[in-house]
Amino acid sequence: MTWDWDYAWDSLPLLLDGLGVTVLATLAGTAIALVLGLVFTLMRRSSSRWISIPTEVFVEFIRSTPLLVQLFVLFFVLPEVGVQLSAFATGVIGLGLHYATYTSEVYRSGIEGVPAGQWEAAKALNLPSRRVWTSVILPQAVPPSIPALGNYAIAMFKETPQLTVITVMELLSVARQLGAENYRYLEPVTLIGVLFLLVSLPTAWLVRRMERRMVPAPRPV
Amino acid sequence: APVDLTAQDAGGDLLSRIRDRGEVNIGIANESPYGFVDSAGRITGEAPELARIIFQRLGVERMNPRVTDFGSLIPALQVGVFDVIAAGMFITPARCKQILFSDPEYQAPQTLLVPKGNPKGVNTLDDIVAKKDVRVGLLTGSAETTYADALGLKDRSVIFDSVFSGLDGILANRADAFALTTISLRDAVSKRPDAPLELTPAYVPIIEGEQKLGCGAFGFRRDQRVFRDAFNAELNRMRANGELLATVRPFGFTESEMTKLTVAELCTDTSS
Amino acid sequence: MSPQLLSYLLEGLLTTLQLTVGAAALGLVFSFAAGIATCSPNIVLRGVGRFYIELFRGISALVLLFWFVFALPYAGWQLDPMWAGILALALNIGAYGAEVVRGGIVAVPVAQIEAAVALNLTRAQRMRLVVLPQAIARMLPPFGNLLIELLKGTAVAYIVLIPELTFAGQIVRNATGDSASVFTALLILYAILAVFFTTIVRLIERRVAKSLGRAPTPGFFARLKGVRA
Amino acid sequence: MSQAATEAALTSGKDGQFIHFDKVSKRFGDNVVLDDLSFAVGAGERVTLIGPSGSGKTTILRMLMTLMKPDTGTVRVGDDYLFHEERNGSLVDASEAHIRKVRQRITMVFQSFNLFPNMRVLRNVTEAPVHVLGLSKEEAEERALGLLAMVGLDHKIDSYPSQLSGGQQQRVAIARALAMRPDVLLLDEVTSALDPELAAGVLDVLRDVAKTTDVTMLCVTHAMKFARDISHRVLMFCEGKIIEAAPPEQMFDSPDHERTRSFLQSVLDEA
Amino acid sequence: MSQAATEAALTSGKDGQFIHFDKVSKRFGDNVVLDDLSFAVGAGERVTLIGPSGSGKTTILRMLMTLMKPDTGTVRVGDDYLFHEERNGSLVDASEAHIRKVRQRITMVFQSFNLFPNMRVLRNVTEAPVHVLGLSKEEAEERALGLLAMVGLDHKIDSYPSQLSGGQQQRVAIARALAMRPDVLLLDEVTSALDPELAAGVLDVLRDVAKTTDVTMLCVTHAMKFARDISHRVLMFCEGKIIEAAPPEQMFDSPDHERTRSFLQSVLDEA
Ligand SMILES: Nc1ncnc2c1ncn2[C@@H]1O[C@H](COP(=O)(O)OP(=O)(O)OP(=O)(O)O)[C@@H](O)[C@H]1O
Ligand SMILES: Nc1ncnc2c1ncn2[C@@H]1O[C@H](COP(=O)(O)OP(=O)(O)OP(=O)(O)O)[C@@H](O)[C@H]1O
Ligand SMILES: [Mg+2]
Ligand SMILES: [Mg+2]
């Protein structure tokens, strides 16, 4: 099997369509993960065990099982209990939910990274608890978390091919379809690799730039 | 099992190497009734069962089946992961450019899988073209996908990754009808006797004025013409003496699925 | 379910374990090689480390796998699918691991390095005797997370004929037509594997924490018992 | 001084008692940090807590600040219990609302300043008056500017804490605490993280506060000259107990206890 | 003391000069930290560096420890340049091997101890003698045990640093430094992170070291009594320059400079 330029060239427009779906799913999934992750974190810190323990168990469970299987369940089982969402919406929710368990960890370590002295100072000033969160803790916990959150967005981008199992025509689905019709996989799959790099490398670079601005530069050892 | 590096050499001696080994690697795609793992956990299906008999006659005692994703069958054959594709794969001109096929062991008319009572009232792909609100479910990489594309159904296609995903998809209202061969769908529905589903009568789709009758066959690497011909000879002998139908009948094949078409006819690209 | 089908699931489970352990071991080697290289004063080594990280973090394991099994043979290099699977997953997870190694090294306080300089240790001795032993303690929790990532990532191996757990699940689903039970079983099996791996990592964490004379950070179960700030 | 005299000195001579520790105990595991401790502080009194490391001085302040609960015993500020409420005549665990109400009167300055790094100096000082006392932004800023001028930092209101020296940060922290107009001001080694010269500036500010307000002060410090200047009374802690309590002159010039003597010796030696 | 007298005092009266700073400058951005500084220290001499925060004291020690390079000027220890090598008669940048050779004679104790948390006390002390000096494990342990006994910690050899108090950690750090048998010992505010009583123990150990060895000591401290007890000479730093240099009695009892006077005043006030 040698490289077929014509075929690669013909595949490109279809693959770009798939890339559009992939990017859209990633963006929407990221938005969900960012919000839901924070909600999970706050619920895990709740003083009521009736909230914190089930949340903790749920988050650990989602985090330790494959997205692929979760997508199957969401896609085929949700409708049986009467929740009818489009394949794309199901995929985005699956991605967002799965990655919320990661962002939740990021937020948690960000919050734990705020020195105990800040909590104590807030208490010494008798600030109400909502105010402590919004004006003292979160403003300090979130910025250092941004690079890690960015990295998860990139990771999510690379996992969108799994949406292929629930009929979302993203990049890999397009490639599989092309391959099945023409029985040439080398070109579409290689092009996917290149397209992924084209998107993920600049994003990773941006994230690292942010990281550098926030963390002191690495030093010689 | 390690990949057979020598399998890449050109020429027709693969068969003798297989005979020396006493074992042939066959690729199946886990699709009933063509090649699949049954509920007892055995690998079976019309193609593996035919292959077992034919290879025995060719002097190869053991068969080592390897189950893989349908989409990976051809690439894996090409790099020598296995020696034959025994998955009832349809012969298409595009595929003929990649691999060699034997003569077909069956021909397959089409059916639609629809919810019980057929609420959308569709019986063929043409019906679906006419009713704009019907979403058609298709199996990734299948010939039906190509037909649907040619009929302009792309926007209403829902691509499933397996037959059972399609079946679950109809139940979950992810699509309104699932288009596949009668054989596959009859088999799938038989495993879910309680599901509120039904099959439309078999039909032969007509795409751009031409009857499309899917014909499944065994696949070989392009440099294995001698091997293929030897296999083909045994296959045609079985066809002639009725052994073929007897072997595949338990998998739901009937007289109407038997074919006289040849690989040479089916490989001719008429669409260009 | 027939014993035969059950054995598919069991074999799938074993294959998944094998893939995970193999790729983790190999990935660990890549992680340390690349992670330490990115902290080197030598610009070439740094460049090579960085290149490895960026390249393999950017390409998904699935694409790599496909390449190794279906494209490399044309370059005259044939890999057994299982090895290809382990190698591709290891290259991928190793790139993430390298960042963990780098992060662990960078997080060792500069003061520790200065103290080592004040004792006139060589650069290599500083790394081996002072920096790495402390850094490893910090690396373990993120390594634990990566291990779970890897475990879940092995599910993509099915496209190159590796019959791991998810694929075995698909076989059973096809054979029995019972989607719901199969998915439930898969979720439970993966969760059990994850708990298994997490427990191992936590045991190692405990040992390392002890070797630093520290109390280990509370784990999942301790957190459940309500030890919170 | 006799044992009885020390016990007498455990309550101030000032007009009525304001803060009451009553049979307070606290332990961490096997470590008994406060051992059945009782003492009282009068309104407006300034008390310095001294004693060796680990003797429980910080624990006292943190308890008053409600950062830590006693295992047994009660703490009272004015007429209110800190961790308990009287309900139907018996003491029950206090609700969050009750704790917040009592905490209103108390505030604390920390060894490591603990300014909010995400807020500029001015907002550090106005944040609590606006959101806790309900002052308008203008009122809060007026009050903050006055206090920042007092600590000599009215030219730094737009800086972030990270742009200030340690001494400047600590002075902002003092202004921030005073902006709450507390009845009780707790100070825990507020100069030990600072260089001597910077520390001197902070202590000067505190001398000012002592002179110009009648806030009740509980102060842990090793700056003995400062302690002598401002305190009405000095309490010597040792292993979770108060072993000596006396006015500063008496404590520093003729301590009663051998332990106090050796402690003071080592502190003075270090200079 | 006149300007000329101070300049004379910049070289010690002891037998020959050992450490030479020659026209050393160092800046960070706009901040001139050391300004064309020259001074020398004799072999076996004990010098205390005092001065306000940011005046460059730590910078001097860190430069001697080769943790920081001067921008211009040279530093010499014995006959060897620290950052330069003589090759073909001209000074070139030193190789790592050369720096390691000269660094062999110098070691440093830090404000925050910086013990290796991954090693027990004994191994903290034996590690460098084994790996740098090439001692056998037995020789190194014998030496370590002797030193740990001297600092009063021979019963703690199997503890991890995290299990020790700050004062104990600092005493281990001193033993660790002495195990290298250095010619020059650098001490940077080794007691400022400690409580007065713990600090007293550390200072006692250092008095011992001063008395029983003839190691050259450069010491930054605010413990004035200690400085008076052990140093041959005190250098007063201000804004990257040495503004006064004199024996401790003279420096503390009748300082020449107004700046020195005010600095000493504030340090003494704090106690
Ligand atoms: N959260 C905690 N967990 C366990 N032990 C604690 C905790 N907080 C304080 N302690 C212990 O309580 C004892 C008293 O601590 P405290 O901080 O009150 O002493 P202190 O008098 O302020 O000493 P220092 O002068 O060192 O600040 C110490 O032995 C300390 O180890
Ligand atoms: N790595 C650095 N980058 C930028 N500025 C630095 C650095 N190290 C030191 N400085 C600056 O150099 C100046 C002198 O610092 P140095 O630590 O020598 O002072 P010092 O006399 O030891 O003061 P202190 O008593 O506070 O320890 C300070 O203004 C400091 O901010
Ligand atoms: Mg304290
Ligand atoms: Mg300094």
Side-chain angles (χ1 to χ4, degrees), chain D residues 195, chain E residues 28 31 33 51-59 68 189 222:
Chain D
D195 265 282
Chain E
F28 292 104
N31 182 4
V33 177
S53 182
S55 57
K57 310 177 296 289
T58 295
T59 307
M68 197 185 262
E189 307 201 26
H222 298 299

Side-chain angles (χ1 to χ4, degrees), chain C residues 111-123 125-126 128-130 133-134 210-214, chain E residues 62 65 67 96 100 103-104 106-108 110 114-119 127-128 131-132 160 162 176 180:
Chain C
Q112 286 290 313
I113 296 156
E114 294 184 348
V117 171
L119 294 171
N120 209 12
L121 295 172
T122 63
R123 202 182 283 283
Q125 286 171 337
R126 277 179 241 156
R128 183 165 57 85
L129 302 171
V130 176
Q134 294 179 49
K210 239 172 85 186
S211 83
L212 293 179
R214 291 188 198 140
Chain E
R62 290 173 57 82
M65 195 63 258
L67 296 173
E96 177 71 16
R100 287 204 64 227
R103 190 158 61 198
Q104 185 87 308
I106 310 169
T107 191
M108 183 159 175
F110 300 85
N114 300 353
L115 292 184
F116 301 131
N118 53 318
M119 305 177 191
E127 193 73 358
H131 290 283
V132 178
Y160 280 100
S162 56
R176 180 174 74 170
M180 295 298 286

Side-chain angles (χ1 to χ4, degrees), chain B residues 9 12 61 106 117 121 133 142 159 162 174 177 184 190 194-195 207 219 226 240:
Chain B
D9 297 350
E61 281 308 313
Y106 69 88
D133 62 332
S142 66
I159 312 286
S162 73
R174 297 285 174 193
S184 297
S190 73
D194 306 333
I207 312 294
V226 177

Side-chain angles (χ1 to χ4, degrees), chain A residues 119-146:
Chain A
W119 291 95
E120 296 184 347
K123 227 174 183 184
L125 293 171
N126 210 12
L127 286 173
S129 122
R130 177 192 299 274
R131 198 70 207 166
V132 175
W133 280 104
T134 56
S135 69
V136 179
I137 302 303
L138 289 181
Q140 294 182 59
V142 172
S145 309
I146 291 175

Side-chain angles (χ1 to χ4, degrees), chain B residues 7 20 57 95 108 111 123 154 164 191 224 235 238:
Chain B
D20 292 345
R57 292 182 184 165
R95 288 174 186 166
T111 294
N123 287 310
K154 188 152 204 145
F164 270 97
K191 289 190 184 150
Q224 298 302 333
L235 179 69
M238 288 179 77

